[in-house]
Amino acid sequence: MDTSLNTADLNDLRMARQLLENPGLAARVTNLIGTPIEKGLDMLPAGWHGRIMDITKVALGKAADAAIFTLGDAPGGDSANRWHKWGAALSGGVGGFFGLAGLAVELPISTTLMMRSIAAIARSEGEPLQDVDTRAACLMVFALGGKAGADDATESGYYAVRVALARAVGQAADYLGTKVAADKAAVPAMIRLIAVIADRFGIQVTEKVAAQAVPALGAAGGALINTLFIDHFQDMARGHFIVRRLERKYGDDVVHAAYLALGGE
């Protein structure tokens, strides 16, 4: 096994790091709408944070159970990002039109579309979609690019998230590998993984909803915000699966060390 990255692979890792460590969704939304996201958060009704978290868990569960891997299982295939963005924009437009009341309908649809897009990106980076580890890695993408409520400044990096999720992902891989969802021993592991990911994904969903709550955005704004939303997670997926591709070639420790070294450039 190689012990150092060649120039092309090092450039790929540099791009992956730029994607994974760039400002999160809130900063992107603020730049887009020209309004601090905090203003939108102040407009949300009392108690809606808990409601958003409940909807987020349902959305992740539906996305995990959906037939997203009907995509041809040929590693290296096209990721079709544009089609998934158009679908997400359409669902966001509907959500923007109906406001908060439409979130319970819109979020499961847009999350499933994002999951399909994430899976397509994984495939384009050489991941076999029927591999249970690939499926768990696709779910993990929803936890990237945002902080959980209990995080501190030292735990916001890409590798820190992977370490935090490693146990839950490993346990849930058994569930994803079973064909029968009624396996009582496996279901709790999947529920735990979704709960851990929802803690992070829900923060970004709340930021999205807050942006859509800004007056005058409406349906058009909802479509624009959802396009930004899926673009964010496509970036996370691209960076994540580039890192995994390089890890398969060079080994985890070599890639981890090179990733950290790039932070000093």
Side-chain angles (χ1 to χ4, degrees):
M1 181 175 291
D2 294 334
T3 58
S4 61
L5 279 65
N6 64 41
T7 300
D9 288 339
L10 186 60
N11 286 337
D12 282 349
L13 185 62
R14 182 177 288 107
M15 179 179 71
R17 189 183 186 284
Q18 289 172 345
L19 291 171
L20 292 165
E21 304 293 346
N22 267 349
L25 182 67
R28 298 187 187 196
V29 169
T30 296
N31 289 336
L32 177 70
I33 66 177
T35 301
I37 200 71
E38 287 76 11
K39 289 189 177 181
L41 290 171
D42 291 340
M43 297 174 187
L44 297 179
W48 256 92
H49 178 71
R51 174 65 174 148
I52 289 171
M53 292 303 294
D54 290 341
I55 295 171
T56 298
K57 290 178 182 178
V58 171
L60 284 172
K62 289 182 180 296
D65 291 335
I68 61 171
F69 298 106
T70 53
L71 294 166
D73 191 16
D78 179 39
S79 59
N81 285 357
R82 185 178 302 172
W83 293 103
H84 293 112
K85 285 181 183 178
W86 286 345
L90 179 61
S91 67
V94 173
F97 182 78
F98 288 103
L100 290 175
L103 184 67
V105 175
E106 179 266 319
L107 188 62
I109 294 172
S110 61
T111 302
T112 298
L113 285 169
M114 285 192 293
M115 181 66 111
R116 283 186 58 87
S117 180
I118 289 165
I121 290 170
R123 180 185 62 184
S124 74
E125 292 293 340
E127 301 268 356
L129 296 185
Q130 295 307 314
D131 190 298
V132 295
D133 182 59
T134 299
R135 297 187 182 202
C138 287
L139 272 173
M140 186 188 293
V141 170
F142 289 103
L144 301 176
K147 294 179 64 178
D151 281 354
D152 61 33
T154 67
E155 296 179 327
S156 60
Y158 166 67
Y159 274 100
V161 174
R162 286 184 62 173
V163 169
L165 295 180
R167 183 177 179 183
V169 168
Q171 292 172 340
D174 292 334
Y175 169 85
L176 292 170
T178 63
K179 300 299 182 183
V180 182
D183 184 337
K184 293 182 180 180
V187 170
M190 187 62 182
I191 292 174
R192 171 173 168 74
L193 175 61
I194 288 176
V196 172
I197 290 175
D199 187 39
R200 295 173 179 274
F201 182 48
I203 299 297
Q204 299 181 82
V205 171
T206 301
E207 292 166 350
K208 177 179 92 78
V209 172
Q212 290 174 315
V214 173
L217 281 183
L224 194 59
I225 295 298
N226 248 33
T227 300
L228 188 63
F229 195 52
I230 190 172
D231 186 65
H232 169 70
F233 285 105
Q234 285 175 339
D235 284 349
M236 295 300 102
R238 180 62 66 190
H240 181 46
F241 288 109
I242 286 174
V243 171
R244 282 172 57 89
R245 167 169 58 80
L246 296 175
E247 287 174 343
R248 290 193 297 274
K249 181 175 180 179
Y250 296 97
D252 295 359
D253 291 343
V254 171
V255 175
H256 189 183
Y259 187 99
L260 294 179
L262 289 171
E265 291 188 343

